[in-house]
Every structure is written in structure tokens, then in C-alpha cells.
Amino acid sequence: MASFSTTCGWCGRFANMRPYGEPHTVIAKSWRTTSGGTRKTEQTVCRCDHCGQLSLAIRTGSAVDSHSELRLVHKEEWLPAFVAGRSFEDVPPEIGSIADEAHKCASIGAYRGAVVLARAVVEATAKEKGISVNGIGNKIDKLYEQNLIREHVKEAAHEVRFGGNSVAHGDLDDLTEEETDEILGLMREILEEVFQSPARVQRQRQKRLARKAGKADAATPTGTTGPSQSGLDFSSISTGSTPP
């Protein structure tokens, strides 16, 4: 059997996964289609060429019969799955961890969970800035009124809210990967606007002022050439008018 390639759920590297052991593949399910073809689900134990850990490939597709190899794979799943998070520099850790978790949910197809967490990030951002009005919609508007976000970012925050509300309030429509990625992208724009961009500006300002202070120090003389540094002792010279 040919090897596969995927992002290893153990080491996080995109690696070659070789079937391991004997037998390495079992048929979990097989059935005939209405057109007379064969569909089946195979489970194959594979070993990562990079880290050596074992993973399970679950592949469903078409085959000539139940004993032949898959000709066309319709669905492939790996256990353990690779969970892809994301770091958020300059964002308060408790908010960054929620945003990271939202990305992890999306990476394993838990799109509803990702969108609900993105909504939580927006509300937590407003609370971090001291906004305590009731309702996430009102909190977003307050962020805008206090000039913490621009108008288009306010609209982005509301779109994240709408997406999260649809899940939190029981409107369980399917969310696609594309739609989830869009909502997480809008979430990142809010974090960029409120936390990350101001932090970068502040760091650059500090660097500029530090350079300016360094140049000023370099231009300041370290001493003078007046009489007090000539090496002579004038302490015995009287400045009064009393004759000797």
C-alpha cells in the first residue's frame, strides 16, 4: 500500500505517513451503491517519518470491490488530528487564550465552537477596556463611541456577534469552513485594532525617544576647561580687604 502525507497530529509537521504493522489496514465498513459500485471505509495504522509516532487514517471512498484498494477517496480523517492554534502578541493572555482556542476548534472542524469563542473574544475585549454596559451589541457600540475602534471594525465586531448569536441562541445552521475563517479573520481585526496596533506604535515611539535621548547625551560635554580644573589650588587666596 502507498504511503500518505498529512500534518502529523503528534509533531505538527507535514510528513510522510507510512502504513505500519501487519495487517496495517482493516475494513471498517463496506457497501454496494445503487449504481453497482462499492464504497468502503478503511482504517490504516501509519507511522510518521518525522517523529515516529503512530496515527490512524480513516478513509472512505470508492473501490472495485471490498478487498481492493480505494480508487477515489471521498473523505479522510486522522487520529489524533492536528490541532492548529495561533498566538496573539500584545493581547491580554486571558483574551489571547480564547482566540487561540477558537482557531484550534476551527482546525478540527468544530466550526460552531470556534464562532461562539470568537464572540466571547469580542465581549471580553470590551470588558478589558472598562465597558460594562449590558449586552454585547451595546459594548461594541461603546468601543466605537470611545474611539477604541473605527467604524468598519465596529461593523466587523457586530458580524462576529451575529455569527456567535446564531449558535448560542439555538439557530444551528451548518457553518462552512470558509464562513468560519471569515468570522475568525474579523475577530483578529478587532484584536489588532484594540491591542496589537497601539502596542506596536508605543514600542516604536519608545525606540525613537530612546535614540533621541542617546544623541542628546552624546552631544553634551563631559567636562569644562575653566580655572577650577587647571590643577591650581585657590583656597588660600583671600577675597577680603583686610591688609596682612
Side-chain angles (χ1 to χ4, degrees):
M1 175 179 284
S3 60
F4 316 121
S5 294
T6 190
T7 302
C8 177
W10 295 101
C11 66
R13 296 283 293 272
F14 187 79
N16 189 48
M17 310 290 281
R18 299 180 186 274
Y20 179 82
E22 196 64 44
H24 47 65
T25 299
V26 297
I27 300 172
K29 184 179 179 182
S30 177
W31 67 97
R32 300 288 290 179
T33 65
T34 55
S35 60
T38 297
R39 290 283 183 90
K40 66 174 182 174
T41 299
E42 292 182 344
Q43 298 177 349
T44 303
V45 177
C46 296
R47 185 172 185 173
C48 174
D49 276 359
H50 179 72
C51 70
Q53 294 284 356
L54 300 180
S55 297
L56 181 66
I58 305 173
R59 305 165 76 234
T60 299
S62 303
V64 175
D65 55 52
S66 61
H67 301 291
S68 61
E69 292 189 4
L70 291 173
R71 294 188 302 175
L72 180 64
V73 176
H74 304 293
K75 181 180 179 182
E76 182 175 288
E77 180 183 1
W78 287 86
L79 298 175
F82 173 66
V83 181
R86 189 161 182 155
S87 61
F88 290 88
E89 185 180 359
D90 298 319
V91 174
E94 60 277 9
I95 297 176
S97 67
I98 302 173
D100 172 47
E101 189 173 339
H103 278 277
K104 288 178 177 177
C105 285
S107 75
I108 59 172
Y111 301 133
R112 295 188 183 101
V115 170
V116 168
L117 288 171
R119 178 189 184 278
V121 166
V122 173
E123 186 157 18
T125 296
K127 289 181 178 179
E128 176 68 19
K129 291 300 179 179
I131 297 172
S132 58
V133 295
N134 290 330
I136 182 175
N138 293 330
K139 288 182 174 72
I140 292 170
D141 291 339
K142 283 293 183 181
L143 283 171
Y144 174 70
E145 291 171 12
Q146 294 181 16
N147 295 318
L148 293 169
I149 56 176
R150 290 167 289 177
E151 185 171 4
H152 77 279
V153 179
K154 178 189 75 170
E155 297 305 319
H158 280 301
E159 289 302 320
V160 175
R161 173 174 69 91
F162 294 144
N165 283 350
S166 68
V167 178
H169 297 165
D171 299 327
L172 302 178
D173 295 333
D174 286 339
L175 284 167
T176 65
E177 179 179 0
E178 181 181 5
E179 186 177 3
T180 303
D181 286 345
E182 288 284 354
I183 290 174
L184 293 184
L186 295 177
M187 176 197 74
R188 292 194 299 272
E189 287 190 32
I190 296 156
L191 296 178
E192 170 78 14
E193 183 93 339
V194 177
F195 300 115
Q196 296 175 305
S197 181
R200 285 198 299 272
V201 171
Q202 180 62 20
R203 279 197 297 272
Q204 182 57 36
R205 180 184 296 116
Q206 290 173 347
K207 291 176 182 177
R208 175 178 57 81
L209 293 175
R211 285 196 302 271
K212 185 176 180 181
K215 290 179 181 179
D217 290 342
T220 302
T222 57
T224 62
T225 57
S228 62
Q229 296 199 3
S230 63
L232 299 178
D233 183 6
F234 297 99
S235 60
S236 61
I237 300 178
S238 174
T239 58
S241 57
T242 304

